[in-house]
Amino acid sequence: MSKLKTLKKQVAPFEKGTTKESIWQLVNTLVPFITLWVLAYQSLSVSYWLALVPMVIAAGFLTRIFIIFHDCTHYNFFKSRRTNRIVGTALGVITVFPFDQWGHEHTVHHATSGNLDKRGTGDIWTLTVDEYKAAPLKLRLAYRFYRNPIVMFVLGPIWVFLIKNRFNRKGARKKERMNTYLVNVLIAAVAVLLGVTVGWQQFLIVQGSIFMISGAAGIWLFYVQHTFEDSYFEEDKEWEYVLAAVEGSSYYKLPKVLQFLTGNIGYHHIHHLSPRVPNYRLEETHNSIPDLQHVPTITLATSLTSLRFRLWDEDRKNFVSFKDVKSLPKTKISTEAKPEL
């Protein structure tokens, strides 16, 4: 345990980015995205299937844009908080995420990830085996519907990104509410401008396709990096931040191209250990600290098994499928947890 506690100190030297690297990342992300968007639009005159090629790649760059936006909400992308807010809000228009709203929910997620007593904000709806078995039929059906891959990865982006993000959370402060309104107005303005300029049908086809692919990929990344067999969940009295980071957040080992497009977010254990590390220093951090290399590791192939994980078994300390719990005895429900996605 003492070794785990020293990890945050070991990571500290990597928490500083540079303006040069940040600007270069904006350039090598936004320029290709815009270029691919235009190429997809032009390709529509030939065939949708031809246009799908640049749209798929553009979706990858949109995912990368979101990672930069995400870094700005952690105020680690630039040294200036104001610059992070300005750039983050602008990128929030592209990714359809209000800067302050996401920043609040994501901060709560970092502070409570893996804590069974503090579920419900910025996370994937997760029930324990005991909760599920004791729940009324209506709740069990709702949970099964929510956990269906089609609902989670197809309907999920539409609900969370396009609908839920347009409204302020209950109790949001004025600054957060105004930022949401600003982002909504800017999204509408950009949509109208592009719709009038390139044609509404073409705009909706290109942007809609890019959005759906990127949205599904984004939810998948978030899902798989916390939903793997031997993850970490504890009640509040036993929960520890460092353990939640290094055991409850996976190292998603991706091919270099996908690692680039996902902004190194596969090094999720490091990101949760220290959100102050900018995305372009996550790999360096991982390679420099041996103890961070011995964490739950998944690959593209092994990550697919996460689709069967539905419930957290508190006794076995791992995720199980619905099928796995059929023979277990019914017990009292211990915790209420609401869906976030």
Side-chain angles (χ1 to χ4, degrees):
M1 183 62 69
S2 59
K3 182 183 289 188
L4 286 173
K5 289 182 177 179
T6 65
L7 284 177
K8 281 186 68 66
K9 293 182 179 180
Q10 291 178 280
V11 170
F14 301 93
E15 293 177 343
K16 296 179 181 179
T18 65
T19 301
K20 181 180 178 181
E21 287 179 283
S22 296
I23 292 175
W24 170 236
Q25 191 169 63
L26 283 172
V27 172
N28 67 31
T29 302
L30 291 173
V31 172
F33 174 74
I34 295 170
T35 302
L36 288 161
W37 204 103
V38 173
L39 182 59
Y41 162 70
Q42 294 175 335
S43 300
L44 276 181
S45 60
V46 179
S47 164
Y48 173 80
W49 300 109
L50 178 62
L52 188 59
V53 176
M55 285 192 291
V56 169
I57 303 173
F61 277 95
L62 182 57
T63 303
R64 185 171 165 85
I65 291 171
F66 178 81
I67 299 303
I68 298 175
F69 159 82
H70 157 265
D71 271 13
C72 287
T73 65
H74 283 297
Y75 295 97
N76 70 24
F77 200 66
F78 291 103
K79 295 177 182 179
S80 163
R81 286 182 66 86
R82 184 181 181 186
T83 304
N84 278 300
R85 284 191 59 81
I86 294 172
V87 174
T89 298
L91 296 181
V93 175
I94 301 175
T95 60
V96 295
F97 268 85
F99 180 87
D100 285 319
Q101 183 185 130
W102 164 261
H104 167 81
E105 292 190 354
H106 197 58
T107 297
V108 174
H109 164 68
H110 272 264
T112 60
S113 180
N115 190 319
L116 289 171
D117 296 322
K118 296 182 179 179
R119 286 166 288 169
T121 300
D123 56 12
I124 300 263
W125 187 18
T126 302
L127 291 179
T128 67
V129 170
D130 289 348
E131 289 169 349
Y132 178 78
K133 292 182 74 68
L137 178 61
K138 183 179 179 180
L139 180 59
R140 294 202 304 271
L141 291 176
Y143 187 72
R144 280 180 171 271
F145 177 78
Y146 173 93
R147 281 278 179 164
N148 183 286
I150 294 176
V151 173
M152 187 169 289
F153 303 115
V154 178
L155 299 182
I158 297 174
W159 163 248
V160 177
F161 305 159
L162 292 185
I163 301 175
K164 179 178 175 291
N165 280 353
R166 308 283 66 81
F167 301 93
N168 283 300
R169 63 183 177 86
K170 184 178 180 181
R173 295 183 177 181
K174 182 178 179 180
K175 183 179 180 181
E176 181 178 328
R177 296 199 309 273
M178 296 306 295
N179 181 262
T180 299
Y181 299 148
L182 172 63
V183 170
N184 287 345
V185 169
L186 290 175
I187 290 172
V190 171
V192 170
L193 177 63
L194 287 174
V196 171
T197 303
V198 306
W200 281 103
Q201 183 178 5
Q202 291 86 344
F203 165 70
L204 291 174
I205 290 174
V206 173
Q207 187 60 26
S209 298
I210 292 172
F211 164 79
M212 286 304 299
I213 297 168
S214 179
I219 290 180
W220 168 254
L221 285 169
F222 189 83
Y223 171 83
V224 77
Q225 298 208 275
H226 292 288
T227 310
F228 50 94
E229 186 170 10
D230 300 316
S231 188
Y232 176 91
F233 282 90
E234 291 288 353
E235 294 180 358
D236 188 52
K237 60 184 178 181
E238 301 291 336
W239 183 86
E240 293 201 23
Y241 180 87
V242 175
L243 280 175
V246 299
E247 294 185 7
S249 306
S250 67
Y251 164 36
Y252 199 6
K253 192 174 183 179
L254 295 170
K256 286 296 182 181
V257 172
L258 293 181
Q259 182 183 322
F260 173 83
L261 292 175
T262 57
N264 297 309
I265 201 61
Y267 297 96
H268 213 59
H269 56 303
I270 299 171
H271 174 62
H272 264 263
L273 183 62
S274 177
R276 296 293 302 169
V277 179
N279 75 81
Y280 50 77
R281 300 204 69 184
L282 290 172
E283 182 177 12
E284 178 189 4
T285 309
H286 176 84
N287 293 335
S288 301
I289 303 174
D291 288 333
L292 288 177
Q293 297 165 22
H294 305 290
V295 296
T297 303
I298 55 177
T299 64
L300 274 178
T302 60
S303 67
L304 296 177
T305 61
S306 292
L307 288 172
R308 66 181 291 273
F309 298 140
R310 300 288 191 268
L311 301 160
W312 178 254
D313 190 326
E314 287 192 80
D315 295 326
R316 300 173 185 170
K317 301 295 182 184
N318 62 6
F319 271 106
V320 296
S321 67
F322 289 126
K323 184 178 179 181
D324 293 333
V325 302
K326 285 184 178 179
S327 60
L328 296 177
K330 200 170 187 178
T331 55
K332 284 189 176 183
I333 192 167
S334 58
T335 314
E336 280 295 327
K338 64 179 181 179
E340 176 63 25
L341 182 63

